[in-house]
Amino acid sequence: MSKTIPRPAKRPRRTDTSSPATAAAPGRGARHFAIIGAGMAGIACARTLVQAGHQVTVFEQAAAPGGRTATVDSAFGSFDAGAQYFTVRDPRFARAIDTVPGLCKPWSANNVRVLDASGRVTSPGLLSREAHWVASPGMQSLVATWAQPLEQAGRIQLNAQVHRIERDSLNPTGWQVRTEGLGGSQHVYAGFDAVLLSQPATASQALLAKSAIDSTLTPSLAKVAIAPCWTLMLAYPQAVRPDLATLGPQWNVARSTHHRIAWLARESSKPGRGSVERWTVQANPAWSAEHLQDSEARVQAKLLKAFAEVTGLRAEPAHAALQRWTYAQTTHALGKSHVWDASLGLGACGDWCLGHRLEDAFISGLELALAVK
């Protein structure tokens, strides 16, 4: 087992100072923040803190930033396995989107049908006046682009699962973070003034308990409920023929009252996604919870059967894959943008603070950073 104790430099490395993620060097009062989780909330928080002149280290257990905006690649094209689209209501989110011109594009999915268990339209559509936006070439691209300056500056530790946070062995008022990496490697990162948890509320609650930390964060985290979701991804390359525009239904997105399926989207209808017909199917939260521990083969068979019942598309897909989200959609939000225990230097953020929209995650991370900086 290897153990390293990296300590922050007195000043963070500087690259392009025009980027919000690599702003001017810190002045007096600059601090070093550990941020656990590199999804939308974590990256928004990190960017804001660096812009204010602080130093950050972001820990992410996956191989890339993005969280539930994950884009899954296949031989037939990509799938947005988590967040399907986003809307923009807060002017601060709009301004942030403007920093990456051309990366986000409108998706013509405003008229969302509601289908019964047999695929019959029970409502002509949920007409939304809000634009549905997607990042291109995949939903993960937005967070990944914002995270890139942080990665280039060495501020993101990937494949690093945090299993404990504790007081710094050399500074009783500071913090250190213990991680496990690929191959079971163990590392200790020290020298943090505060730790900010940007992960599902249940996961943050478990980390605090495992770390034997008694914080005012715990009661707030316990109030939140987040439902799981099984996601099925299907590809039908046989639909790409001059005389056949689509193999299945003539709509691109729908909500379903089927007891297994809640959402269906034709990935190939999104801008910049490629022409091979691909579908992302998200299971009903209650059904997902009931079958969360089932084998992938069983879940795939059941969801594929339900997909055929709803869409009438009974052809064998050339590609089928599953993604299990243990924490997918907030069913009971915290009701405020973040939590911050100033006495301990611990905070938490995530979409679950405000709801389940991607913008909720951004606002949560932004406002936590503003509260602590």
Side-chain angles (χ1 to χ4, degrees):
M1 178 180 72
S2 64
K3 179 179 290 189
T4 59
I5 305 182
R7 290 195 168 271
K10 292 182 180 179
R11 299 166 68 93
R13 190 188 315 175
R14 297 178 60 189
T15 54
D16 177 13
T17 57
S18 66
S19 167
T22 53
R28 292 183 62 185
R31 289 172 289 163
H32 191 186
F33 292 88
I35 300 176
I36 301 175
M40 173 61 81
I43 295 302
C45 185
R47 282 163 44 92
T48 306
L49 288 170
V50 172
Q51 187 177 26
H54 297 290
Q55 188 174 356
V56 301
T57 300
V58 183
F59 298 93
E60 171 55 48
Q61 64 180 356
R68 290 198 302 274
T69 65
T71 300
V72 176
D73 293 321
S74 78
F76 302 99
S78 65
F79 297 86
D80 292 328
Q84 288 287 294
Y85 64 91
F86 64 90
T87 54
V88 181
R89 300 174 188 173
D90 192 296
R92 296 171 294 178
F93 190 40
R95 288 195 295 270
I97 297 297
D98 287 343
T99 66
V100 284
L103 189 143
C104 300
K105 304 178 186 301
W107 179 31
S108 56
N110 287 45
N111 195 10
V112 181
R113 291 163 175 78
V114 179
L115 310 175
D116 66 13
S118 300
R120 292 186 294 268
V121 177
T122 61
S123 172
L126 300 176
L127 186 59
S128 172
R129 296 182 180 180
E130 291 182 306
H132 289 57
W133 293 89
V134 296
S136 184
M139 282 294 288
Q140 193 167 355
S141 303
L142 179 57
V143 176
T145 299
W146 281 341
Q148 190 172 25
L150 294 167
E151 287 193 84
Q152 291 173 343
R155 299 306 179 199
I156 300 182
Q157 299 292 327
L158 299 173
N159 297 305
Q161 183 171 13
V162 175
H163 61 82
R164 186 176 176 87
I165 58 177
E166 58 198 14
R167 285 302 187 182
D168 192 325
S169 58
L170 300 180
N171 176 14
T173 64
W175 291 97
Q176 62 187 30
V177 172
R178 293 183 180 272
T179 69
E180 182 173 329
L182 297 176
S185 59
Q186 304 284 324
H187 298 273
V188 177
Y189 297 82
F192 300 108
D193 297 290
V195 177
L196 308 180
L197 309 176
S198 173
Q199 51 187 4
T202 306
S204 293
Q205 190 178 4
L207 179 60
L208 291 176
K210 186 176 181 180
S211 302
I213 294 173
D214 183 14
S215 168
T216 57
L217 267 64
T218 303
S220 295
L221 296 170
K223 297 176 183 178
V224 178
I226 306 176
C229 180
W230 276 107
T231 297
L232 176 66
M233 295 161 281
L234 304 170
Y236 296 89
Q238 60 267 46
V240 184
R241 301 201 320 245
D243 60 336
L244 186 63
T246 61
L247 185 66
Q250 299 306 302
W251 42 262
N252 292 325
V253 60
R255 299 192 185 279
S256 170
T257 61
H258 193 287
H259 72 284
R260 292 177 187 165
I261 293 178
W263 172 267
L264 308 95
R266 194 193 308 268
E267 287 288 345
S268 41
S269 71
K270 297 178 180 179
R273 294 303 201 276
S275 60
V276 173
E277 182 160 339
R278 303 181 309 284
W279 288 88
T280 295
V281 183
Q282 292 181 331
N284 177 285
W287 188 89
S288 293
E290 182 182 352
H291 297 273
L292 192 61
Q293 303 304 326
D294 285 5
S295 68
E296 289 196 1
R298 186 181 184 206
V299 170
Q300 180 171 305
K302 286 182 175 293
L303 288 181
L304 193 56
K305 182 175 184 294
F307 176 73
E309 291 169 355
V310 173
T311 63
L313 204 168
R314 301 182 184 279
E316 188 69 23
H319 170 83
L322 281 174
Q323 172 78 43
R324 185 182 71 168
W325 298 101
T326 305
Y327 308 107
Q329 185 173 17
T330 306
T331 56
H332 189 276
L334 178 63
K336 56 183 180 180
S337 66
H338 63 278
V339 284
W340 170 238
D341 185 341
S343 66
L344 292 181
L346 292 174
C349 62
D351 60 354
W352 50 268
C353 290
L354 296 169
H356 56 79
R357 299 167 56 246
L358 191 62
E359 186 179 51
D360 292 336
F362 175 86
I363 297 303
S364 179
L366 170 69
E367 293 198 350
L368 175 60
L370 294 175
V372 305
K373 75 184 184 65

